[in-house]
Amino acid sequence: MAMNYELVEELRTQFEAHADPSAAAAMSRYMRNQFLFLGIASPLRRSLERELLAKLRRADEPELTVVARYLWELPEREYQYTALALLGRAAKRLSPASLELCHDLIVLKSWWDTVDALAAQVVGIIVLGHPEEVARMDLWIESPHLWLRRSALIHQLKFKERTDTDRLFHYCLLMASDKDFFIRKAIGWALRQYSWTDPTAVREFVVANGALLSPLSKREALLAINGRRMRSQSQSE
């Protein structure tokens, strides 16, 4: 474990050497001044974090948990992005135990930039590999915490033909009356993503439940379907 802390400290040295206060201020404003930034652009950050990720490639689950929590505790947002990269790379070999870690990271320093990556790239991958964990998603969708509800809504984004359609539509209807922008957007996003796999099912669901879904959710849900239709019409003219 000590070596892993040393790796993180080496990363901090690299990050701090490339800090850009002007860019940091702009990044913070973009996130509504909720988080501090070092001002490192994503391509450079990925380059700087590559060595740490490579050295932790074979780290076991407890080690990954410790490092991810440590990175999450650091004040600047770039460290949370590195934690996301670390967990995303390991997602297919993580056990359901890591859903507790994901829960904690979702509710700490919560915003769409980290929550969405955790939900689709880590939580969803764990659930896909351990289908019994959908029971946990059933708890999250009823949670009073906004970002857990959003995570449950979008955790199937990468499932494609393996999507549990009944659960997807059930979650969307459960949240249909929610007034929060991020929930309404997530409903539309989840449906739009599935529409790439089964556009007919999504269209029929939206039509059948149009009175319940918000205009935002409906517009987002049908965006890809309508876009393909317009392109098809244009090509046929």
Side-chain angles (χ1 to χ4, degrees):
M1 292 295 184
M3 181 189 73
N4 291 340
Y5 283 117
E6 290 174 5
L7 290 175
V8 175
E9 290 307 311
E10 290 173 9
L11 180 70
R12 292 184 72 180
T13 299
Q14 290 292 313
F15 274 13
E16 289 171 5
H18 291 83
D20 181 339
S22 177
M27 290 176 177
S28 184
R29 285 195 298 273
Y30 180 70
M31 291 295 173
R32 300 184 183 180
N33 295 310
Q34 297 180 95
F35 311 106
L36 296 174
F37 282 83
L38 289 165
I40 303 173
S42 294
L44 176 57
R45 189 198 77 246
R46 295 189 187 103
S47 176
L48 294 174
E49 71 191 14
R50 190 174 296 130
E51 183 177 358
L52 178 141
L53 297 180
K55 289 181 177 179
L56 292 175
R57 184 175 53 192
R58 293 186 175 85
D60 61 24
E61 197 165 17
E63 289 177 306
L64 292 173
T65 297
V66 168
V67 174
R69 289 190 185 277
Y70 185 33
L71 288 165
W72 218 263
E73 291 173 359
L74 297 175
E76 292 85 9
R77 199 62 165 169
E78 287 88 348
Y79 296 113
Q80 281 90 71
Y81 297 156
T82 298
L84 293 173
L86 179 68
L87 294 173
R89 287 189 173 200
K92 289 184 178 179
R93 59 187 178 87
L94 295 178
S95 76
S98 284
L99 290 174
E100 290 298 330
L101 168 66
C102 293
H103 174 284
D104 294 346
L105 302 188
I106 287 168
V107 302
L108 293 171
K109 302 182 179 180
S110 307
W111 201 238
W112 61 265
D113 57 332
T114 55
V115 169
D116 293 356
L118 281 166
Q121 299 172 25
V122 186
V123 172
I125 301 305
I126 295 173
V127 172
L128 191 59
H130 303 273
E132 71 279 3
E133 292 303 320
V134 296
R136 194 185 304 251
M137 297 300 98
D138 291 343
L139 295 176
W140 285 15
I141 196 66
E142 300 277 11
S143 171
H145 198 286
L146 159 68
W147 297 104
L148 288 174
R149 299 198 304 278
R150 180 173 168 100
S151 295
L153 278 166
I154 65 174
H155 83 276
Q156 296 194 82
L157 285 181
K158 294 181 177 292
F159 285 25
K160 297 181 179 179
E161 69 280 352
R162 296 176 68 181
T163 299
D164 182 339
T165 312
D166 289 342
R167 182 168 268 100
L168 169 64
F169 292 164
H170 175 57
Y171 284 4
C172 289
L173 290 178
L174 276 178
M175 295 293 102
S177 62
D178 197 303
K179 304 297 185 185
D180 189 274
F181 167 83
F182 288 104
I183 295 299
R184 291 184 167 187
K185 187 84 169 180
I187 292 171
W189 185 14
L191 292 171
R192 182 176 77 247
Q193 191 68 16
Y194 185 57
S195 76
W196 291 104
T197 300
D198 192 341
T200 300
V202 171
R203 185 187 300 109
E204 290 177 351
F205 173 79
V206 172
V207 170
N209 297 283
L212 299 175
L213 297 168
S214 71
L216 173 61
S217 295
K218 289 186 288 187
R219 183 169 65 250
E220 290 289 321
L222 299 175
L223 195 61
I225 296 173
N226 291 337
R228 291 197 294 272
R229 181 185 300 160
M230 290 177 65
R231 286 192 295 272
S232 178
Q233 290 175 346
S234 176
Q235 292 169 359
S236 65
E237 292 175 354

